[in-house]
Amino acid sequence: MEEIHLVTAANNKYVEPLSVMLYSLLINKTSKIPLKIYIIASNLTLENKHNIIKLMQNFNSSIDFISIGHSKYNKLKTVGHLTKETYYRFSIPELLGEHIRKVLYLDCDLIIKDDITRLWNYDVNHYTLAAVENPGLTHRFKDLLIPEDSSYFNAGVLLINMEKWKQENTTNKLLKFIEKNQSKIKLCSQDPLNAVLHNKWLKLDPTWNYQVFRCSHLDINPSIIHFTTHKKPWKGYKPLFYEEYFNYLKELT
């Protein structure tokens, strides 16, 4: 039977938002397609792993914790709230089984309001990935060697075609771009992803990644709320839809 393969990455500091994201996803998933969740982590404690497993016991899903080398991305640039875990999505194709043809990657700072199966069912056969546009960044195109007529996507929600990613040697291309353009990169993993894949991605409806500081002008009911920037609800900030985070946290606890 088909499975939904979902990947995220986290450290101990992000266990609460990770748990809220997973709970919101699981409680709002209505399809009977089983869900396989992979959490890439370098240092999650046994207690935190146990709590995440406990959270998932009542849902049609299973979980794997995937270790990644401590030093793999240690030398790469990090900025502000973006830690080395932001690069872990680059390793997804080498960490998961060869039989997996498609993966849904989700950041931890999301609230999932819709059945994730609807997003999973998008056809990405002709693209390396599908994503939602990150508006307002065209001024970065020159630095990132992106053609003026392209668009720039947000990397917090990615539906990845694993076969194309591997065929095109995407991970190595990303690392080479970073090596050559360190001084121009501001958004650690997102900038290189856009530079390398600017003409290889499918644009999704903004409802699948409603970036609270960039999509507020859009009159839509979000399927996925994304608390972008460092202004997170769990840090005391009150961005748009911050109440949603605490509503799910209350249910969870």
Side-chain angles (χ1 to χ4, degrees):
M1 185 179 182
E2 182 190 6
E3 277 185 312
I4 296 173
H5 297 279
L6 188 149
V7 181
T8 188
N11 57 33
N12 287 307
K13 292 181 179 179
Y14 262 70
V15 166
E16 182 188 282
L18 168 65
S19 300
V20 172
M21 184 273 281
L22 291 176
Y23 176 74
S24 69
L25 183 152
L26 293 164
I27 203 74
N28 289 312
K29 180 179 173 293
T30 56
S31 80
K32 297 190 183 300
I33 299 176
L35 176 66
K36 178 76 174 183
I37 297 174
Y38 308 83
I39 299 178
I40 307 173
S42 55
N43 65 348
L44 281 182
T45 65
L46 288 175
E47 180 182 4
N48 283 331
K49 289 180 180 179
H50 173 76
N51 289 337
I52 293 168
I53 293 169
K54 186 177 178 182
L55 152 70
M56 298 177 58
Q57 284 177 347
N58 296 324
F59 299 97
N60 183 24
S61 58
S62 59
I63 188 165
D64 273 354
F65 293 95
I66 303 176
S67 296
I68 192 166
H70 288 278
S71 60
K72 186 170 180 65
Y73 296 113
N74 277 356
K75 294 181 180 179
L76 297 188
K77 179 179 183 179
T78 57
V79 179
H81 69 289
L82 298 173
T83 62
K84 66 179 179 180
E85 281 78 14
T86 192
Y87 294 109
Y88 287 2
R89 69 201 80 189
F90 293 178
S91 290
I92 291 171
E94 69 193 59
L95 292 173
L96 270 59
E98 289 290 325
H99 66 288
I100 298 174
R101 301 177 61 187
K102 184 168 66 170
V103 160
L104 179 59
Y105 171 84
L106 298 179
D107 274 350
C108 293
D109 54 354
L110 308 174
I111 297 293
I112 317 300
K113 298 282 291 176
D114 202 343
D115 183 354
I116 206 68
T117 311
R118 293 182 55 227
L119 176 55
W120 175 256
N121 285 335
Y122 273 87
D123 182 359
V124 290
N125 283 336
H126 301 294
Y127 303 89
T128 306
L129 58 79
V132 171
E133 184 175 4
N134 199 130
L137 291 177
T138 53
H139 63 285
R140 304 283 322 287
F141 284 13
K142 186 176 180 180
D143 276 351
L144 297 174
L145 308 176
I146 298 174
E148 290 183 6
D149 59 350
S150 299
S151 298
Y152 181 106
F153 60 85
N154 183 278
V157 178
L158 301 174
L159 187 59
I160 302 171
N161 180 335
M162 298 275 275
E163 291 181 327
K164 273 195 172 295
W165 183 291
K166 286 184 276 193
Q167 286 169 4
E168 295 163 358
N169 206 14
T170 302
T171 300
N172 283 343
K173 289 178 180 177
L174 291 167
L175 296 175
K176 284 181 181 178
F177 180 86
I178 293 171
E179 183 182 349
K180 293 179 181 178
N181 299 278
Q182 281 278 13
S183 62
K184 297 176 181 178
I185 293 172
K186 294 183 179 179
L187 297 170
C188 307
S189 58
Q190 187 167 282
D191 279 352
L193 279 165
N194 275 275
V196 171
L197 300 174
H198 65 82
N199 61 345
K200 300 177 185 295
W201 65 284
L202 172 68
K203 188 179 292 188
L204 298 174
D205 190 283
T207 188
W208 290 112
N209 187 348
Y210 187 98
Q211 302 144 58
V212 295
F213 293 105
R214 291 193 179 272
C215 293
S216 58
H217 63 290
L218 300 176
D219 184 20
I220 60 175
N221 184 28
S223 295
I224 296 180
I225 299 164
H226 190 177
F227 298 113
T228 49
T229 82
H230 67 283
K231 297 181 178 180
K232 314 294 188 186
W234 55 93
K235 292 184 177 180
Y237 292 97
K238 295 183 178 181
L240 200 62
F241 294 117
Y242 80 94
E243 302 98 333
E244 294 277 2
Y245 178 84
F246 292 104
N247 289 341
Y248 283 104
L249 178 62
K250 186 177 180 180
E251 288 184 29
L252 186 56
T253 54

